[in-house]
Structure formats: structure tokens, C-alpha cells
Amino acid sequence: MTALVDQWYSPRLGRDIEVARWGDVGVPVLVFPTAGGDAREVERFHLVDACGPLIAEGRIKLYSCDSVNGRALLTKEGDSLHRSWMLRQFVEFVGHELVPAIRADCRSDDIEIITSGSSIGAFNALAALCRYPTVFREAICMSGTYRLERFMDGPVDEHFAWASPMHLLDSLDDAHLAALRQRTVVLASGEGANEDIGESWHAAHVLGAAGVPNRVDSWGPQWAHDWPLWREMLPHYLGEVV
């Protein structure tokens, strides 16, 4: 399946960014890449193929974009305060640039979007849902890494707290929290090589304390932190909700 690719300059991110789409009709699903991934990473690693039947049936159309903040963490771009700022700028890009582009593509000003991602992509999926609960209806978070302080190598500031779903819930007003409590978060993880299901349990505790519906799903020790797991997970969970 060939991607339809768009590109534009993002003033928030200060660089060009690519957005890819697969499928023509159905519920929009935004899948964030892993830390260093680009918009077509999910195609190269056959996650799009795994979701192929759902796309062919017109149940979903899949979107992905460059992982700008994840790449900043991976390459240690700038200092810790710059990387904190990049986390926020990326989430703002999602809400104020990418969401309008997806809605325009869907010819709907109010269509709700499912979001997902693996590893740091799961962080971005959860951050998008928490920041924009009137836009995103569900987050499918796979093998998530949610505590990013260890990638900063220095102090963080209010931009980090604004973007991090493990920190931002305390700052939300009542109306924002009420909207978020109508949404659902799936925190799925294997327990094999390089997996840390403790990250998912920590996120579940933070979300649960704020009254946000969520569940942790363990796929067991036979699954490592890698694409074969995510190719099983994503169509499974999407099949439950579309």
C-alpha cells in the first residue's frame, strides 16, 4: 500500500515536516513513530500492512508524521531546556497544525481521531489525548516510555511539565479534566526483552488518580520491545473500537 505524503514548513517546529496517509475513508488513526522515526517508518516496518484489512474495509485511514521531538531526544539536540521546549512544540504542532490538516483531509471540522504509537510514540499518543481530549477519542499506547526525564541530561522547565502526561494532569482545569474522563487509554506492553511494563503501570496510576479511564494489558514474556509485537497489537485494538 502506497502512502500519500504531504509536507509543509512548521513555524512551531522551525523545520519542514512530512505527514503520510494510507486509505481513503474510515475513522482517522494517527500513529506516531518511535523516537527517531519519520512519517513512513510505520510503512517500512509493515505496521501499515498489518492494519491492511481494516484499511481495505474502509474502517480506518491511517496517518503518521515525523517524530521531531523524539529525534531531538535521541540525538540530544541542544540542551535539556531546548529538548523540553521541543516536547511542547511538537504537541502544539499536533493540536494546531496536524489535527486541522487531518480534519480537512476527512472533510469534517469535528471528526474525532484515534491516536497510537510505540515506545516514545506512545508518549506522544498519550500526550496528544491528554492535551486535546475534545479531538482524540482514544489512545492505544504500545510498549510506552512515559518518564522522559532520563533523556534530558539536565534540568527541565514548565515546557516539559506542559507536554508530559505524567505531569500535566495537575494543571488541567475542571472542564478539561471532565472531557478527558470521557476518553479511554489502553496501555499495552510485552514483558520480554527491553520491555518495561512498569512504565505502563506508572502511567495507569497517574491517569487513574485523575479519574481517566485506562487499562494495562500484558502480552506476556514471549514478546520483546519490537515491531512484531506492535504489528499484532495495533490491528487487535483498532478492531475493538472501529
Side-chain angles (χ1 to χ4, degrees), residues 171-238:
S171 68
L172 302 180
D173 61 34
D174 290 343
H176 193 138
L177 271 176
L180 185 53
R181 288 167 179 156
Q182 301 303 309
R183 303 315 193 184
T184 305
V185 179
V186 175
L187 302 158
S189 178
E191 296 189 61
N194 301 312
E195 285 283 79
D196 182 3
I197 198 171
E199 289 273 341
S200 295
W201 284 114
H202 176 73
H205 174 76
V206 173
L207 292 166
V212 181
N214 71 88
R215 77 179 199 251
V216 176
D217 282 358
S218 170
W219 283 55
Q222 69 272 32
W223 292 103
H225 188 87
D226 207 350
W227 290 96
L229 172 58
W230 307 328
R231 288 195 292 266
E232 292 292 325
M233 281 180 169
L234 187 56
H236 169 79
Y237 290 114
L238 288 175

Short mmCIF file of all heavy atoms in Angstrom, two decimals, residues 171-238:
data_model
loop_
_atom_site.label_atom_id
_atom_site.label_comp_id
_atom_site.label_asym_id
_atom_site.label_seq_id
_atom_site.Cartn_x
_atom_site.Cartn_y
_atom_site.Cartn_z
N SER A 171 -2.36 20.32 36.27
CA SER A 171 -2.54 21.70 35.84
C SER A 171 -3.81 21.92 35.03
O SER A 171 -4.12 23.06 34.66
CB SER A 171 -1.33 22.14 35.00
OG SER A 171 -1.30 21.43 33.76
N LEU A 172 -4.58 20.87 34.78
CA LEU A 172 -5.76 21.00 33.93
C LEU A 172 -6.94 21.55 34.71
O LEU A 172 -7.15 21.20 35.88
CB LEU A 172 -6.12 19.63 33.33
CG LEU A 172 -5.03 18.96 32.49
CD1 LEU A 172 -5.53 17.62 31.96
CD2 LEU A 172 -4.59 19.86 31.34
N ASP A 173 -7.76 22.36 34.05
CA ASP A 173 -8.94 22.88 34.72
C ASP A 173 -10.05 21.84 34.71
O ASP A 173 -9.94 20.77 34.08
CB ASP A 173 -9.40 24.20 34.09
CG ASP A 173 -9.78 24.08 32.62
OD1 ASP A 173 -10.32 23.02 32.22
OD2 ASP A 173 -9.55 25.04 31.87
N ASP A 174 -11.14 22.14 35.40
CA ASP A 174 -12.21 21.16 35.60
C ASP A 174 -12.85 20.74 34.28
O ASP A 174 -13.15 19.55 34.08
CB ASP A 174 -13.28 21.73 36.54
CG ASP A 174 -12.80 21.86 37.97
OD1 ASP A 174 -11.78 21.22 38.31
OD2 ASP A 174 -13.44 22.59 38.76
N ALA A 175 -13.07 21.69 33.38
CA ALA A 175 -13.70 21.36 32.11
C ALA A 175 -12.80 20.46 31.27
O ALA A 175 -13.28 19.50 30.63
CB ALA A 175 -14.03 22.64 31.34
N HIS A 176 -11.51 20.73 31.28
CA HIS A 176 -10.56 19.92 30.53
C HIS A 176 -10.54 18.49 31.10
O HIS A 176 -10.61 17.51 30.35
CB HIS A 176 -9.18 20.56 30.62
CG HIS A 176 -8.19 20.01 29.65
ND1 HIS A 176 -7.32 20.81 28.95
CD2 HIS A 176 -7.89 18.74 29.27
CE1 HIS A 176 -6.55 20.06 28.17
NE2 HIS A 176 -6.88 18.80 28.36
N LEU A 177 -10.46 18.39 32.42
CA LEU A 177 -10.46 17.06 33.04
C LEU A 177 -11.75 16.31 32.78
O LEU A 177 -11.74 15.09 32.55
CB LEU A 177 -10.23 17.19 34.54
CG LEU A 177 -8.79 17.18 35.03
CD1 LEU A 177 -8.73 17.42 36.53
CD2 LEU A 177 -8.08 15.87 34.68
N ALA A 178 -12.87 17.02 32.80
CA ALA A 178 -14.15 16.37 32.55
C ALA A 178 -14.18 15.76 31.15
O ALA A 178 -14.68 14.64 30.96
CB ALA A 178 -15.29 17.37 32.72
N ALA A 179 -13.64 16.49 30.17
CA ALA A 179 -13.58 15.95 28.81
C ALA A 179 -12.65 14.75 28.74
O ALA A 179 -12.96 13.73 28.10
CB ALA A 179 -13.12 17.05 27.84
N LEU A 180 -11.51 14.83 29.43
CA LEU A 180 -10.54 13.75 29.40
C LEU A 180 -11.10 12.48 30.06
O LEU A 180 -10.79 11.36 29.62
CB LEU A 180 -9.26 14.19 30.11
CG LEU A 180 -8.06 13.26 30.11
CD1 LEU A 180 -7.70 12.82 28.70
CD2 LEU A 180 -6.87 13.92 30.78
N ARG A 181 -11.93 12.65 31.06
CA ARG A 181 -12.52 11.49 31.75
C ARG A 181 -13.55 10.76 30.91
O ARG A 181 -14.01 9.68 31.30
CB ARG A 181 -13.12 11.96 33.07
CG ARG A 181 -12.07 12.31 34.11
CD ARG A 181 -12.64 13.05 35.30
NE ARG A 181 -11.59 13.36 36.28
CZ ARG A 181 -11.65 14.35 37.16
NH1 ARG A 181 -12.72 15.15 37.20
NH2 ARG A 181 -10.64 14.55 38.00
N GLN A 182 -13.90 11.32 29.75
CA GLN A 182 -14.80 10.64 28.82
C GLN A 182 -14.02 9.82 27.78
O GLN A 182 -14.63 9.18 26.93
CB GLN A 182 -15.67 11.67 28.09
CG GLN A 182 -16.53 12.53 29.01
CD GLN A 182 -17.45 11.69 29.89
OE1 GLN A 182 -18.17 10.82 29.40
NE2 GLN A 182 -17.42 11.96 31.19
N ARG A 183 -12.71 9.85 27.87
CA ARG A 183 -11.86 9.15 26.91
C ARG A 183 -11.29 7.87 27.53
O ARG A 183 -11.44 7.61 28.71
CB ARG A 183 -10.74 10.08 26.44
CG ARG A 183 -11.23 11.37 25.81
CD ARG A 183 -12.35 11.14 24.83
NE ARG A 183 -12.62 12.30 24.00
CZ ARG A 183 -13.62 12.35 23.12
NH1 ARG A 183 -14.43 11.32 22.96
NH2 ARG A 183 -13.82 13.44 22.39
N THR A 184 -10.60 7.10 26.70
CA THR A 184 -10.07 5.81 27.13
C THR A 184 -8.62 5.67 26.69
O THR A 184 -8.26 6.06 25.57
CB THR A 184 -10.88 4.64 26.53
OG1 THR A 184 -12.26 4.81 26.87
CG2 THR A 184 -10.39 3.31 27.07
N VAL A 185 -7.80 5.10 27.58
CA VAL A 185 -6.39 4.86 27.28
C VAL A 185 -6.10 3.38 27.45
O VAL A 185 -6.40 2.80 28.51
CB VAL A 185 -5.47 5.68 28.20
CG1 VAL A 185 -4.00 5.38 27.88
CG2 VAL A 185 -5.76 7.17 28.08
N VAL A 186 -5.52 2.76 26.43
CA VAL A 186 -5.02 1.39 26.53
C VAL A 186 -3.50 1.47 26.66
O VAL A 186 -2.83 2.10 25.84
CB VAL A 186 -5.40 0.55 25.30
CG1 VAL A 186 -4.75 -0.83 25.37
CG2 VAL A 186 -6.91 0.43 25.18
N LEU A 187 -2.97 0.82 27.70
CA LEU A 187 -1.53 0.78 27.95
C LEU A 187 -1.10 -0.67 27.81
O LEU A 187 -1.22 -1.48 28.73
CB LEU A 187 -1.23 1.31 29.36
CG LEU A 187 -1.72 2.75 29.63
CD1 LEU A 187 -1.86 2.98 31.13
CD2 LEU A 187 -0.78 3.76 29.01
N ALA A 188 -0.62 -1.02 26.62
CA ALA A 188 -0.28 -2.40 26.30
C ALA A 188 1.23 -2.59 26.28
O ALA A 188 1.97 -1.72 25.81
CB ALA A 188 -0.88 -2.79 24.95
N SER A 189 1.68 -3.72 26.78
CA SER A 189 3.13 -3.96 26.85
C SER A 189 3.40 -5.45 26.85
O SER A 189 2.62 -6.25 27.40
CB SER A 189 3.70 -3.34 28.13
OG SER A 189 5.09 -3.58 28.24
N GLY A 190 4.51 -5.83 26.23
CA GLY A 190 5.06 -7.16 26.46
C GLY A 190 5.86 -7.16 27.74
O GLY A 190 5.98 -6.14 28.44
N GLU A 191 6.44 -8.31 28.06
CA GLU A 191 7.31 -8.40 29.23
C GLU A 191 8.60 -9.14 28.89
O GLU A 191 9.27 -9.68 29.77
CB GLU A 191 6.58 -9.08 30.39
CG GLU A 191 5.38 -8.29 30.90
CD GLU A 191 4.79 -8.84 32.17
OE1 GLU A 191 5.52 -8.90 33.19
OE2 GLU A 191 3.61 -9.23 32.14
N GLY A 192 8.95 -9.12 27.59
CA GLY A 192 10.18 -9.76 27.14
C GLY A 192 11.32 -8.77 27.07
O GLY A 192 11.34 -7.76 27.79
N ALA A 193 12.27 -9.05 26.19
CA ALA A 193 13.50 -8.26 26.10
C ALA A 193 13.20 -6.79 25.83
O ALA A 193 12.43 -6.46 24.93
CB ALA A 193 14.40 -8.82 25.00
N ASN A 194 13.81 -5.93 26.63
CA ASN A 194 13.74 -4.47 26.50
C ASN A 194 12.35 -3.89 26.74
O ASN A 194 12.15 -2.70 26.50
CB ASN A 194 14.25 -4.03 25.12
CG ASN A 194 15.68 -4.46 24.88
OD1 ASN A 194 16.55 -4.26 25.73
ND2 ASN A 194 15.94 -5.07 23.73
N GLU A 195 11.43 -4.69 27.23
CA GLU A 195 10.13 -4.17 27.63
C GLU A 195 10.17 -3.80 29.11
O GLU A 195 10.88 -4.44 29.91
CB GLU A 195 9.03 -5.21 27.39
CG GLU A 195 8.64 -5.37 25.94
CD GLU A 195 7.75 -4.26 25.45
OE1 GLU A 195 8.29 -3.16 25.15
OE2 GLU A 195 6.53 -4.46 25.35
N ASP A 196 9.40 -2.80 29.50
CA ASP A 196 9.27 -2.40 30.90
C ASP A 196 7.81 -2.08 31.16
O ASP A 196 7.37 -0.95 31.02
CB ASP A 196 10.15 -1.19 31.20
CG ASP A 196 10.08 -0.76 32.67
OD1 ASP A 196 9.38 -1.44 33.45
OD2 ASP A 196 10.70 0.25 33.02
N ILE A 197 7.06 -3.11 31.56
CA ILE A 197 5.64 -2.91 31.81
C ILE A 197 5.40 -2.00 33.02
O ILE A 197 4.33 -1.43 33.18
CB ILE A 197 4.91 -4.26 31.98
CG1 ILE A 197 3.40 -4.08 31.80
CG2 ILE A 197 5.26 -4.90 33.33
CD1 ILE A 197 2.63 -5.38 31.74
N GLY A 198 6.45 -1.81 33.82
CA GLY A 198 6.35 -0.87 34.92
C GLY A 198 6.04 0.55 34.46
O GLY A 198 5.39 1.32 35.18
N GLU A 199 6.50 0.92 33.26
CA GLU A 199 6.16 2.22 32.70
C GLU A 199 4.65 2.34 32.51
O GLU A 199 4.06 3.39 32.79
CB GLU A 199 6.87 2.42 31.36
CG GLU A 199 8.37 2.63 31.47
CD GLU A 199 8.74 4.10 31.70
OE1 GLU A 199 7.90 4.99 31.41
OE2 GLU A 199 9.86 4.35 32.16
N SER A 200 4.04 1.27 32.03
CA SER A 200 2.59 1.29 31.81
C SER A 200 1.83 1.35 33.13
O SER A 200 0.83 2.08 33.26
CB SER A 200 2.16 0.06 31.01
OG SER A 200 2.72 0.08 29.71
N TRP A 201 2.30 0.60 34.12
CA TRP A 201 1.63 0.65 35.42
C TRP A 201 1.77 2.02 36.07
O TRP A 201 0.83 2.51 36.72
CB TRP A 201 2.19 -0.44 36.34
CG TRP A 201 1.68 -1.81 36.01
CD1 TRP A 201 2.40 -2.87 35.54
CD2 TRP A 201 0.33 -2.27 36.11
NE1 TRP A 201 1.58 -3.96 35.33
CE2 TRP A 201 0.31 -3.62 35.68
CE3 TRP A 201 -0.87 -1.67 36.51
CZ2 TRP A 201 -0.87 -4.37 35.65
CZ3 TRP A 201 -2.04 -2.42 36.47
CH2 TRP A 201 -2.03 -3.75 36.05
N HIS A 202 2.91 2.66 35.90
CA HIS A 202 3.08 4.00 36.44
C HIS A 202 2.11 4.98 35.77
O HIS A 202 1.45 5.79 36.45
CB HIS A 202 4.52 4.48 36.23
CG HIS A 202 4.75 5.89 36.67
ND1 HIS A 202 4.79 6.27 37.99
CD2 HIS A 202 4.93 7.04 35.95
CE1 HIS A 202 4.99 7.57 38.08
NE2 HIS A 202 5.09 8.07 36.86
N ALA A 203 2.02 4.90 34.43
CA ALA A 203 1.08 5.77 33.72
C ALA A 203 -0.36 5.49 34.15
O ALA A 203 -1.16 6.43 34.33
CB ALA A 203 1.23 5.57 32.21
N ALA A 204 -0.69 4.22 34.34
CA ALA A 204 -2.04 3.87 34.77
C ALA A 204 -2.36 4.48 36.13
O ALA A 204 -3.48 4.94 36.38
CB ALA A 204 -2.18 2.35 34.82
N HIS A 205 -1.38 4.46 37.04
CA HIS A 205 -1.59 5.04 38.37
C HIS A 205 -1.86 6.55 38.27
O HIS A 205 -2.79 7.07 38.91
CB HIS A 205 -0.37 4.78 39.25
CG HIS A 205 -0.44 5.47 40.58
ND1 HIS A 205 -1.23 5.00 41.62
CD2 HIS A 205 0.18 6.59 41.04
CE1 HIS A 205 -1.11 5.82 42.66
NE2 HIS A 205 -0.26 6.79 42.33
N VAL A 206 -1.07 7.25 37.47
CA VAL A 206 -1.23 8.70 37.33
C VAL A 206 -2.59 9.02 36.69
O VAL A 206 -3.32 9.91 37.15
CB VAL A 206 -0.07 9.29 36.50
CG1 VAL A 206 -0.32 10.77 36.20
CG2 VAL A 206 1.24 9.12 37.24
N LEU A 207 -2.93 8.30 35.64
CA LEU A 207 -4.21 8.53 34.97
C LEU A 207 -5.38 8.17 35.89
O LEU A 207 -6.36 8.92 35.98
CB LEU A 207 -4.29 7.70 33.68
CG LEU A 207 -3.34 8.11 32.56
CD1 LEU A 207 -3.28 7.02 31.50
CD2 LEU A 207 -3.77 9.43 31.92
N GLY A 208 -5.27 7.04 36.56
CA GLY A 208 -6.34 6.62 37.45
C GLY A 208 -6.59 7.58 38.59
O GLY A 208 -7.73 7.84 38.97
N ALA A 209 -5.51 8.15 39.13
CA ALA A 209 -5.65 9.13 40.22
C ALA A 209 -6.41 10.37 39.76
O ALA A 209 -7.05 11.05 40.57
CB ALA A 209 -4.28 9.51 40.75
N ALA A 210 -6.34 10.66 38.45
CA ALA A 210 -7.06 11.81 37.90
C ALA A 210 -8.44 11.43 37.37
O ALA A 210 -9.14 12.28 36.82
CB ALA A 210 -6.24 12.44 36.78
N GLY A 211 -8.81 10.17 37.51
CA GLY A 211 -10.12 9.72 37.07
C GLY A 211 -10.23 9.45 35.59
O GLY A 211 -11.33 9.42 35.03
N VAL A 212 -9.08 9.22 34.92
CA VAL A 212 -9.08 8.97 33.47
C VAL A 212 -9.15 7.46 33.23
O VAL A 212 -8.27 6.71 33.69
CB VAL A 212 -7.82 9.54 32.81
CG1 VAL A 212 -7.85 9.28 31.30
CG2 VAL A 212 -7.70 11.04 33.10
N PRO A 213 -10.17 6.96 32.52
CA PRO A 213 -10.31 5.52 32.30
C PRO A 213 -9.10 4.96 31.53
O PRO A 213 -8.68 5.52 30.53
CB PRO A 213 -11.58 5.41 31.46
CG PRO A 213 -12.35 6.66 31.75
CD PRO A 213 -11.31 7.72 31.96
N ASN A 214 -8.57 3.85 32.03
CA ASN A 214 -7.43 3.23 31.36
C ASN A 214 -7.35 1.77 31.76
O ASN A 214 -7.97 1.35 32.74
CB ASN A 214 -6.13 3.97 31.72
CG ASN A 214 -5.70 3.75 33.15
OD1 ASN A 214 -4.99 2.79 33.48
ND2 ASN A 214 -6.15 4.63 34.06
N ARG A 215 -6.57 1.03 30.99
CA ARG A 215 -6.29 -0.36 31.39
C ARG A 215 -4.89 -0.73 30.92
O ARG A 215 -4.40 -0.23 29.90
CB ARG A 215 -7.32 -1.32 30.82
CG ARG A 215 -7.17 -1.69 29.34
CD ARG A 215 -8.25 -2.68 28.94
NE ARG A 215 -7.96 -3.40 27.74
CZ ARG A 215 -8.60 -3.21 26.58
NH1 ARG A 215 -9.54 -2.31 26.48
NH2 ARG A 215 -8.29 -3.96 25.52
N VAL A 216 -4.24 -1.58 31.70
CA VAL A 216 -2.94 -2.13 31.34
C VAL A 216 -3.13 -3.55 30.83
O VAL A 216 -3.76 -4.36 31.50
CB VAL A 216 -1.97 -2.12 32.55
CG1 VAL A 216 -0.65 -2.80 32.18
CG2 VAL A 216 -1.72 -0.70 33.03
N ASP A 217 -2.61 -3.82 29.65
CA ASP A 217 -2.67 -5.17 29.07
C ASP A 217 -1.26 -5.72 28.95
O ASP A 217 -0.42 -5.13 28.25
CB ASP A 217 -3.31 -5.14 27.68
CG ASP A 217 -4.82 -5.02 27.72
OD1 ASP A 217 -5.39 -5.01 28.83
OD2 ASP A 217 -5.43 -4.91 26.63
N SER A 218 -1.00 -6.84 29.60
CA SER A 218 0.27 -7.53 29.43
C SER A 218 0.14 -8.59 28.34
O SER A 218 -0.78 -9.41 28.38
CB SER A 218 0.70 -8.20 30.74
OG SER A 218 1.82 -9.05 30.49
N TRP A 219 1.07 -8.56 27.39
CA TRP A 219 1.09 -9.57 26.33
C TRP A 219 2.08 -10.69 26.65
O TRP A 219 2.28 -11.58 25.82
CB TRP A 219 1.40 -8.91 25.00
CG TRP A 219 0.21 -8.18 24.43
CD1 TRP A 219 -0.53 -7.21 25.04
CD2 TRP A 219 -0.40 -8.40 23.15
NE1 TRP A 219 -1.54 -6.79 24.22
CE2 TRP A 219 -1.49 -7.50 23.05
CE3 TRP A 219 -0.13 -9.24 22.08
CZ2 TRP A 219 -2.31 -7.44 21.92
CZ3 TRP A 219 -0.93 -9.17 20.95
CH2 TRP A 219 -2.01 -8.29 20.88
N GLY A 220 2.70 -10.63 27.81
CA GLY A 220 3.50 -11.74 28.27
C GLY A 220 4.97 -11.68 27.91
O GLY A 220 5.41 -10.86 27.10
N PRO A 221 5.76 -12.58 28.52
CA PRO A 221 7.21 -12.55 28.37
C PRO A 221 7.72 -13.00 27.00
O PRO A 221 8.90 -12.83 26.70
CB PRO A 221 7.70 -13.49 29.47
CG PRO A 221 6.55 -14.44 29.68
CD PRO A 221 5.32 -13.61 29.48
N GLN A 222 6.87 -13.57 26.18
CA GLN A 222 7.32 -14.01 24.86
C GLN A 222 7.47 -12.86 23.87
O GLN A 222 8.01 -13.04 22.78
CB GLN A 222 6.34 -15.05 24.28
CG GLN A 222 4.97 -14.52 23.91
CD GLN A 222 3.97 -14.54 25.04
OE1 GLN A 222 4.33 -14.38 26.21
NE2 GLN A 222 2.70 -14.74 24.71
N TRP A 223 7.01 -11.65 24.26
CA TRP A 223 7.04 -10.51 23.35
C TRP A 223 8.11 -9.52 23.77
O TRP A 223 8.08 -8.99 24.87
CB TRP A 223 5.68 -9.82 23.31
CG TRP A 223 4.61 -10.64 22.66
CD1 TRP A 223 3.61 -11.33 23.28
CD2 TRP A 223 4.44 -10.85 21.26
NE1 TRP A 223 2.81 -11.96 22.35
CE2 TRP A 223 3.30 -11.68 21.10
CE3 TRP A 223 5.12 -10.43 20.12
CZ2 TRP A 223 2.84 -12.08 19.85
CZ3 TRP A 223 4.66 -10.83 18.87
CH2 TRP A 223 3.54 -11.64 18.74
N ALA A 224 9.04 -9.23 22.85
CA ALA A 224 10.09 -8.24 23.07
C ALA A 224 9.62 -6.86 22.59
O ALA A 224 8.59 -6.72 21.92
CB ALA A 224 11.37 -8.64 22.34
N HIS A 225 10.41 -5.86 22.90
CA HIS A 225 10.14 -4.48 22.52
C HIS A 225 10.53 -4.29 21.06
O HIS A 225 11.63 -3.83 20.73
CB HIS A 225 10.98 -3.55 23.42
CG HIS A 225 10.68 -2.10 23.30
ND1 HIS A 225 9.69 -1.47 24.01
CD2 HIS A 225 11.25 -1.13 22.53
CE1 HIS A 225 9.67 -0.18 23.71
NE2 HIS A 225 10.61 0.06 22.81
N ASP A 226 9.62 -4.66 20.16
CA ASP A 226 9.98 -4.65 18.74
C ASP A 226 8.72 -4.69 17.89
O ASP A 226 7.61 -4.94 18.38
CB ASP A 226 10.89 -5.84 18.42
CG ASP A 226 11.81 -5.57 17.23
OD1 ASP A 226 11.62 -4.55 16.54
OD2 ASP A 226 12.71 -6.40 16.98
N TRP A 227 8.92 -4.49 16.59
CA TRP A 227 7.80 -4.34 15.67
C TRP A 227 6.89 -5.56 15.57
O TRP A 227 5.67 -5.39 15.36
CB TRP A 227 8.34 -3.96 14.29
CG TRP A 227 8.87 -2.57 14.27
CD1 TRP A 227 10.17 -2.17 14.44
CD2 TRP A 227 8.13 -1.37 14.12
NE1 TRP A 227 10.29 -0.81 14.40
CE2 TRP A 227 9.05 -0.28 14.21
CE3 TRP A 227 6.77 -1.09 13.92
CZ2 TRP A 227 8.65 1.05 14.09
CZ3 TRP A 227 6.38 0.23 13.81
CH2 TRP A 227 7.30 1.29 13.89
N PRO A 228 7.38 -6.81 15.68
CA PRO A 228 6.42 -7.92 15.62
C PRO A 228 5.30 -7.81 16.65
O PRO A 228 4.14 -8.15 16.36
CB PRO A 228 7.31 -9.15 15.88
CG PRO A 228 8.65 -8.75 15.34
CD PRO A 228 8.79 -7.30 15.70
N LEU A 229 5.62 -7.31 17.85
CA LEU A 229 4.60 -7.12 18.88
C LEU A 229 3.60 -6.05 18.44
O LEU A 229 2.38 -6.23 18.54
CB LEU A 229 5.26 -6.73 20.20
CG LEU A 229 4.31 -6.31 21.35
CD1 LEU A 229 3.31 -7.41 21.68
CD2 LEU A 229 5.12 -5.92 22.58
N TRP A 230 4.11 -4.93 17.95
CA TRP A 230 3.22 -3.81 17.62
C TRP A 230 2.36 -4.12 16.40
O TRP A 230 1.24 -3.62 16.28
CB TRP A 230 4.06 -2.55 17.43
CG TRP A 230 4.95 -2.32 18.63
CD1 TRP A 230 4.67 -2.65 19.93
CD2 TRP A 230 6.28 -1.80 18.63
NE1 TRP A 230 5.73 -2.33 20.75
CE2 TRP A 230 6.74 -1.81 19.99
CE3 TRP A 230 7.13 -1.30 17.66
CZ2 TRP A 230 8.00 -1.36 20.36
CZ3 TRP A 230 8.38 -0.84 18.02
CH2 TRP A 230 8.81 -0.86 19.36
N ARG A 231 2.88 -4.97 15.51
CA ARG A 231 2.06 -5.40 14.36
C ARG A 231 0.91 -6.28 14.80
O ARG A 231 -0.11 -6.36 14.11
CB ARG A 231 2.94 -6.13 13.34
CG ARG A 231 3.89 -5.20 12.58
CD ARG A 231 4.47 -5.87 11.35
NE ARG A 231 5.39 -6.95 11.66
CZ ARG A 231 6.70 -6.83 11.75
NH1 ARG A 231 7.27 -5.63 11.57
NH2 ARG A 231 7.47 -7.85 12.02
N GLU A 232 1.05 -6.96 15.91
CA GLU A 232 -0.06 -7.73 16.48
C GLU A 232 -1.01 -6.83 17.27
O GLU A 232 -2.23 -6.97 17.19
CB GLU A 232 0.47 -8.84 17.39
CG GLU A 232 1.21 -9.95 16.68
CD GLU A 232 0.29 -10.79 15.81
OE1 GLU A 232 -0.87 -11.00 16.20
OE2 GLU A 232 0.75 -11.24 14.74
N MET A 233 -0.43 -5.92 18.03
CA MET A 233 -1.24 -5.10 18.94
C MET A 233 -2.19 -4.15 18.21
O MET A 233 -3.39 -4.09 18.50
CB MET A 233 -0.33 -4.26 19.84
CG MET A 233 0.28 -5.01 21.01
SD MET A 233 1.32 -3.87 21.98
CE MET A 233 1.65 -4.88 23.44
N LEU A 234 -1.65 -3.35 17.28
CA LEU A 234 -2.45 -2.25 16.75
C LEU A 234 -3.72 -2.71 16.05
O LEU A 234 -4.81 -2.21 16.37
CB LEU A 234 -1.61 -1.36 15.84
CG LEU A 234 -2.32 -0.07 15.38
CD1 LEU A 234 -2.80 0.76 16.56
CD2 LEU A 234 -1.41 0.74 14.47
N PRO A 235 -3.67 -3.66 15.10
CA PRO A 235 -4.93 -4.09 14.49
C PRO A 235 -5.87 -4.75 15.49
O PRO A 235 -7.10 -4.65 15.36
CB PRO A 235 -4.49 -5.05 13.39
CG PRO A 235 -3.10 -5.46 13.73
CD PRO A 235 -2.50 -4.31 14.47
N HIS A 236 -5.30 -5.42 16.50
CA HIS A 236 -6.14 -6.03 17.54
C HIS A 236 -6.98 -4.97 18.26
O HIS A 236 -8.21 -5.11 18.38
CB HIS A 236 -5.27 -6.79 18.53
CG HIS A 236 -5.98 -7.23 19.77
ND1 HIS A 236 -6.80 -8.36 19.80
CD2 HIS A 236 -6.03 -6.68 21.02
CE1 HIS A 236 -7.30 -8.50 21.02
NE2 HIS A 236 -6.87 -7.50 21.78
N TYR A 237 -6.34 -3.91 18.72
CA TYR A 237 -7.05 -2.90 19.48
C TYR A 237 -7.94 -2.04 18.59
O TYR A 237 -9.05 -1.65 18.98
CB TYR A 237 -6.07 -2.03 20.27
CG TYR A 237 -5.43 -2.79 21.41
CD1 TYR A 237 -4.06 -3.05 21.42
CD2 TYR A 237 -6.21 -3.28 22.47
CE1 TYR A 237 -3.49 -3.77 22.46
CE2 TYR A 237 -5.63 -3.99 23.51
CZ TYR A 237 -4.27 -4.23 23.50
OH TYR A 237 -3.71 -4.94 24.52
N LEU A 238 -7.48 -1.73 17.38
CA LEU A 238 -8.32 -0.98 16.47
C LEU A 238 -9.59 -1.78 16.13
O LEU A 238 -10.68 -1.20 16.01
CB LEU A 238 -7.57 -0.63 15.19
CG LEU A 238 -6.49 0.45 15.33
CD1 LEU A 238 -5.74 0.61 14.02
CD2 LEU A 238 -7.10 1.79 15.75
#
